[in-house]
Amino acid sequence: MNFLGYVLLGGLSYAAGWAVRVYRLDKNPEQPYHLKHPEILGYMAGFFIIMLIISWLLGRYLLGHTALDLPFIIINSIVATFVYSFGLNPEKANYDVPE
């Protein structure tokens, strides 16, 4: 994969995390969420498993790896899950610049 492919994969991972946060987690505003909340950890574990399968499919059919390329699959899945966590993060950043 080239640089653009990784940028697109990162963008899709972030968008998936954002969509889960907006459409699933923000529906219950009285429930505070943080990155160590069991529901968020469950979403991240599920996304990691999905990314293991997607990374294997990318390596097998797009990149032509005939053997099981474990370093590519694991590193690609970890990085995509890390980017997904930024989209999933419910903490609101404060961008007020001090005077």
Side-chain angles (χ1 to χ4, degrees), residues 27-93:
K27 297 290 184 191
N28 193 1
E30 63 271 358
Q31 172 70 34
Y33 289 104
H34 48 82
L35 283 180
K36 294 181 181 177
H37 191 276
E39 189 171 351
I40 289 182
L41 291 176
Y43 281 122
M44 288 177 62
F47 185 78
F48 180 73
I49 292 169
I50 290 170
M51 280 308 300
L52 285 173
I53 296 168
I54 290 174
S55 297
W56 173 73
L57 291 172
L58 283 173
R60 175 78 175 165
Y61 297 108
L62 186 65
L63 301 176
H65 298 159
T66 56
L68 189 63
D69 191 5
L70 283 178
F72 170 76
I73 293 170
I74 293 171
I75 297 297
N76 198 34
S77 300
I78 289 172
V79 171
T81 305
F82 181 70
V83 173
Y84 175 77
S85 72
F86 280 106
L88 193 61
N89 189 2
E91 298 171 3
K92 309 287 190 244

